[in-house]
Amino acid sequence: MLTERQRSVLDFIQREQREKGITPSTREIQNHFRFASQTSVMQYIATLERKGFLNRHARKARALITPAMKVRITDIPIYGQIPAGMSTLTEQSIEGHVSLDMRSANVLKNRGTFALRVRGDSMIDAHILDGDIVILEDTKELHNGDIVAALIDGETSLKRYVVEHGRPYLKAENPRYPDLVPARELKIQGVVVSLIRKQERRRRQ
Amino acid sequence: MLTERQRSVLDFIQREQREKGITPSTREIQNHFRFASQTSVMQYIATLERKGFLNRHARKARALITPAMKVRITDIPIYGQIPAGMSTLTEQSIEGHVSLDMRSANVLKNRGTFALRVRGDSMIDAHILDGDIVILEDTKELHNGDIVAALIDGETSLKRYVVEHGRPYLKAENPRYPDLVPARELKIQGVVVSLIRKQERRRRQ
DNA sequence: AAGTATTATGTTCAAAGGAACATAATCACT
DNA sequence: AGTGATTATGTTCCTTTGAACATAATACTT
């Protein structure tokens, strides 16, 4: 699809975007490849655009857009512990951020998405482990079987939301943990939509 | 830290970066806020830079860098099936991409990182499920207990790499699957460093 | 009332940067 | 030998864009 030279120009553009944060100008590309003429760059850009590897805003400076930038990345805050209330998602309690594309994060909207670091093994039978990052959405729609973050005794806890005989309760996915049956005044903070795990690797053994 | 007006300027810059793919020029910012003078924008930018909310390349066009862009996002290709050989990671077999920040992805380098969609439940006891995306690194260092993608009978398969009595073998994390004992000529394609799961949610019940 | 940060205007300048045109060498393929 | 795509040069033009300077109205604090 692309010639070797065309590929290297595209690579350079993307590398600069990643490393410097800005798109190179045509003259910067020219200098990097030691072209005697800037027109060479214009031709490469035109070709890359024609072949669909590049988009651009005509007549604007540094306005090349590569597919890598097109994916909508969302920035999800990770909370150590969500303070009671949930309306007060203060910046203070943010432990970090995950940035990933919306499709992989399984989120649709930008608002009301947050993440928690899982503590303990109460959801181990749902294959959610201690240390996992779960991404949650603050949604109204709650379905039977959803895994939710709920506020119980002032602490945020991950449980499965189950409706049986018309009555909802919160179920831990570990036989060693009790269910929370009369789930009155449920403070559901969010529904788990996806999960990120850093795989442990033992060094030397 | 920031005044309301300063915040809204920063928000506008970041929103444009996300939605259009390019940083707005000072005059574009000016028009958006209906400033009669472009100098107002220059003052906001200077303030935002002084307060550390913005970086910029002086005297370059559209060269504002916001913290949101600073996180190193890596673009990881997802392969449906890795073709035998591994040296031929052709674009054809790419099923999609995951984009996430390198820290969350648990990767250090940019090269030799790829992802696979997990098929089957042979790793269920390691809490890796059918449909999960596993991110792998093509590394030389292989430790006892690592979960690896290996080429077995022309198919890529996820197994745990175990060394017992000095002999390595590949172990499935599901009693219903056999271990692959005499692991001679092991074609290890990569080591699992992280995992992304889209949580299933049943609609209506 | 004085001092200072913030927000705003009006104007001018020079550099940065995209675009176009004519021309030509090289290579692959027929 | 002829055709076309790719790669390359040299030059010119003009818009875009960042930067600077002088000035001033608010707003907040002391």
Side-chain angles (χ1 to χ4, degrees):
Chain A
M1 198 72 163
L2 286 183
T3 66
E4 198 179 330
R5 203 79 168 128
Q6 288 164 0
R7 163 65 56 188
S8 71
V9 171
L10 181 61
D11 282 350
F12 175 70
I13 294 169
Q14 292 183 324
R15 182 151 25 90
E16 288 287 299
Q17 286 175 336
R18 267 215 283 257
E19 293 179 3
K20 302 235 172 83
I22 60 169
T23 297
S25 71
T26 54
R27 280 173 180 82
E28 284 171 357
I29 301 171
Q30 177 193 354
N31 290 335
H32 177 263
F33 287 99
R34 306 222 189 286
F35 290 139
S37 169
Q38 177 223 4
T39 310
S40 299
V41 179
M42 296 302 286
Q43 284 170 127
Y44 279 113
I45 291 174
T47 305
L48 288 170
E49 193 181 20
R50 176 168 46 80
K51 293 189 177 178
F53 287 84
L54 209 65
N55 270 44
R56 64 175 158 169
H57 295 265
R59 280 162 208 288
K60 287 184 180 170
R62 300 173 185 275
L64 303 177
I65 301 166
T66 59
M69 304 178 61
K70 279 284 258 309
V71 246
R72 284 279 256 284
I73 307 276
T74 129
D75 216 45
I76 302 167
I78 305 172
Y79 294 93
Q81 190 69 20
I82 300 188
M86 169 70 185
S87 50
T88 52
L89 283 180
T90 56
E91 298 217 354
Q92 273 67 38
S93 49
I94 292 180
E95 198 183 286
H97 283 265
V98 213
S99 300
L100 79 164
D101 63 287
M102 296 183 69
R103 191 208 282 237
S104 301
N106 204 16
V107 298
L108 296 170
K109 49 208 177 76
N110 233 323
R111 283 262 184 252
T113 304
F114 62 99
L116 286 176
R117 183 173 300 281
V118 176
R119 277 188 248 203
D121 57 354
S122 71
M123 293 305 284
I124 198 148
D125 289 347
H127 305 286
I128 298 176
L129 312 184
D130 185 68
D132 287 358
I133 300 288
V134 286
I135 296 169
L136 304 102
E137 260 184 332
D138 175 24
T139 178
K140 270 102 221 159
E141 298 175 55
L142 206 52
H143 305 140
N144 188 8
D146 279 349
I147 295 171
V148 299
L151 192 65
I152 297 161
D153 299 330
E155 272 214 354
T156 303
S157 159
L158 225 51
K159 293 278 179 294
R160 193 182 290 277
Y161 175 82
V162 183
V163 182
E164 234 170 39
H165 309 302
R167 278 207 307 272
Y169 67 101
L170 297 179
K171 182 178 182 298
E173 288 284 3
N174 185 335
R176 297 195 293 105
Y177 288 76
D179 297 346
L180 284 129
V181 183
R184 313 254 158 189
E185 284 229 44
L186 270 180
K187 287 249 170 71
I188 305 291
Q189 299 179 310
V191 179
V192 174
V193 292
S194 53
L195 174 154
I196 297 176
R197 175 183 307 155
K198 293 189 190 181
Q199 192 66 38
E200 265 185 63
R201 291 188 59 192
R202 300 156 199 144
R203 322 255 125 236
R204 320 262 106 245
Q205 66 99 32
Chain B
M1 198 74 164
L2 286 184
T3 67
E4 199 179 328
R5 203 80 168 126
Q6 288 164 359
R7 162 65 57 189
S8 71
V9 171
L10 181 60
D11 282 349
F12 174 70
I13 293 170
Q14 292 183 323
R15 182 151 25 92
E16 288 286 298
Q17 286 175 335
R18 266 217 283 258
E19 294 180 3
K20 302 235 172 81
I22 60 169
T23 297
S25 70
T26 54
R27 278 170 183 82
E28 284 170 359
I29 301 171
Q30 178 193 353
N31 291 334
H32 178 262
F33 288 98
R34 305 225 188 285
F35 290 140
S37 171
Q38 177 222 2
T39 310
S40 300
V41 179
M42 295 301 286
Q43 284 169 126
Y44 279 114
I45 290 173
T47 306
L48 289 170
E49 192 182 19
R50 176 168 46 80
K51 294 190 177 177
F53 288 85
L54 209 64
N55 270 44
R56 64 174 157 167
H57 295 264
R59 281 161 207 288
K60 286 187 179 168
R62 300 173 184 273
L64 304 177
I65 300 166
T66 60
M69 303 177 62
K70 279 283 253 317
V71 243
R72 286 278 259 280
I73 307 273
T74 135
D75 215 45
I76 302 167
I78 305 172
Y79 293 92
Q81 191 67 24
I82 301 189
M86 171 68 184
S87 50
T88 50
L89 282 180
T90 55
E91 296 215 357
Q92 273 67 40
S93 48
I94 291 179
E95 199 184 285
H97 283 265
V98 213
S99 300
L100 79 165
D101 63 288
M102 295 182 71
R103 190 206 282 234
S104 303
N106 205 13
V107 297
L108 296 171
K109 47 206 179 77
N110 232 320
R111 283 265 183 249
T113 304
F114 62 98
L116 286 176
R117 183 173 299 280
V118 176
R119 278 188 247 206
D121 58 352
S122 70
M123 293 304 285
I124 198 145
D125 289 347
H127 305 286
I128 299 176
L129 312 183
D130 184 70
D132 286 358
I133 301 287
V134 285
I135 296 171
L136 305 101
E137 260 184 333
D138 176 24
T139 179
K140 269 103 221 161
E141 297 175 57
L142 207 53
H143 305 139
N144 187 8
D146 279 349
I147 295 171
V148 299
L151 193 65
I152 298 162
D153 299 331
E155 274 214 353
T156 302
S157 159
L158 225 52
K159 294 276 180 294
R160 193 183 290 277
Y161 174 84
V162 183
V163 183
E164 234 171 38
H165 310 302
R167 277 209 306 273
Y169 67 99
L170 298 178
K171 180 176 181 299
E173 287 285 1
N174 185 333
R176 298 196 292 106
Y177 288 75
D179 297 347
L180 284 130
V181 186
R184 315 250 157 190
E185 286 229 42
L186 272 180
K187 288 249 170 74
I188 306 292
Q189 298 178 310
V191 179
V192 174
V193 291
S194 54
L195 175 153
I196 297 176
R197 175 183 307 156
K198 294 189 190 182
Q199 191 67 36
E200 265 185 63
R201 291 189 59 194
R202 301 155 199 143
R203 320 257 127 235
R204 321 263 107 245
Q205 67 99 32

